[in-house]
Amino acid sequence: MSEVIVRERYLKNGKKVYEYCFELAHEGGKRRRRTKSGFATKHEARAAGRQAFITDLYNYGFSVNTVTSIKGLLTKSFNFAVDRNYIPASPAVNLVIPKNKQPDKPTRFKQHIFLEKDQVDKIFERFPKGTSSFIPLKIAYHTGMRPGEVFGLIWDDIDFVNKTITVNRQVQWYAGKRTEEKKRGLMEHRSQMDIGISVSQSINHIERLI
């Protein structure tokens, strides 16, 4: 989105109104513009132009979460500029996400990919009980935890009484040239999930062996 430009326009009866205009992304090598006129003041036209950008994102199929993130980024960026006296006031004030209206295009989504039962069975045939990968795979399969969250678990994170796992951290591997420093690091991260009887029994078995 380019800068919102406000221009004067005159109706057939001679009345002066204001129009906003801004460029959208190029499509097929051609510039696309969004304009609307009929506003009584420059301020109304400029505010409507900024709001139109947010509304267009929603109408083009972006999810509410995506539009909220973009709005938040704009708001924080402009507030940062105001704090450092780059601009006198934030142009992102009073932007509204149109949650209660039907978008012009269906909300975009990515199709989820699930492993079929026979695929899961083959994985556990390759890493059966007693192998080092069995417990991490079983926890991930039954809870949906990410690999980094599974490998970040410690005993204090597991509640055998209530059969829950609390994720307080995750392991991350930093890409790049290997150095003398450890590549593995722990990042704080918190959530909680239930674990089934089979997972609880498997972890209990490991605890007894230790």
Side-chain angles (χ1 to χ4, degrees):
M1 174 186 176
S2 65
E3 179 185 359
V4 177
I5 300 173
V6 176
R7 299 178 293 197
E8 294 180 356
R9 286 289 184 265
Y10 290 88
L11 304 178
K12 291 182 179 180
N13 60 9
K15 180 181 178 180
K16 183 173 71 173
V17 295
Y18 293 90
E19 172 191 76
Y20 72 73
C21 171
F22 60 84
E23 288 188 7
L24 301 170
H26 284 63
E27 189 173 291
K30 296 181 179 179
R31 291 189 303 178
R32 296 172 56 240
R33 289 185 176 181
R34 171 74 183 270
T35 63
K36 186 175 182 180
S37 63
F39 300 97
T41 65
K42 288 184 178 180
H43 177 75
E44 287 182 8
R46 187 169 287 109
R50 296 175 190 131
Q51 179 59 51
F53 170 64
I54 296 296
T55 303
D56 282 351
L57 290 175
Y58 181 77
N59 284 330
Y60 290 157
F62 289 95
S63 68
V64 171
N65 286 341
T66 299
V67 178
T68 301
S69 296
I70 294 174
K71 175 181 174 292
L73 178 62
L74 289 174
T75 301
K76 290 180 180 179
S77 298
F78 284 122
N79 287 343
F80 178 86
V82 171
D83 290 341
R84 281 152 182 76
N85 298 316
Y86 296 145
I87 56 176
S90 171
V93 175
N94 298 326
L95 293 179
V96 178
I97 299 173
K99 299 179 181 179
N100 297 323
K101 67 182 292 289
Q102 187 68 25
D104 295 342
K105 295 183 179 180
T107 302
R108 305 177 184 186
F109 70 95
K110 291 183 179 179
Q111 185 176 3
H112 293 283
I113 300 175
F114 301 95
L115 291 176
E116 300 293 339
K117 186 179 184 305
D118 61 327
Q119 294 175 307
V120 175
D121 291 340
K122 288 181 180 179
I123 292 175
F124 284 109
E125 286 176 8
R126 172 64 179 83
F127 302 100
K129 186 175 181 178
T131 60
S132 60
S133 298
F134 176 76
I135 295 298
L137 286 171
K138 196 172 185 67
I139 293 174
Y141 174 64
H142 286 279
T143 65
M145 291 170 59
R146 301 177 180 89
E149 295 172 338
V150 174
F151 288 106
L153 291 174
I154 61 175
W155 288 115
D156 290 341
D157 298 328
I158 304 169
D159 185 341
F160 291 103
V161 177
N162 297 308
K163 292 183 173 57
T164 61
I165 287 179
T166 301
V167 180
N168 291 307
R169 68 199 65 77
Q170 59 180 313
V171 175
Q172 290 190 342
W173 293 84
Y174 298 98
K177 187 176 180 180
R178 187 181 295 274
T179 64
E180 295 298 325
E181 298 178 359
K182 293 181 180 179
K183 291 183 67 177
R184 188 175 69 176
L186 290 176
M187 176 179 166
E188 290 187 0
H189 178 69
R190 186 174 180 83
S191 61
Q192 190 178 73
M193 57 202 69
D194 297 329
I195 57 176
I197 296 176
S198 63
V199 175
S200 178
Q201 290 175 343
S202 298
I203 300 175
N204 259 317
H205 176 69
I206 297 297
E207 187 181 33
R208 288 195 297 270
L209 290 178
I210 295 175

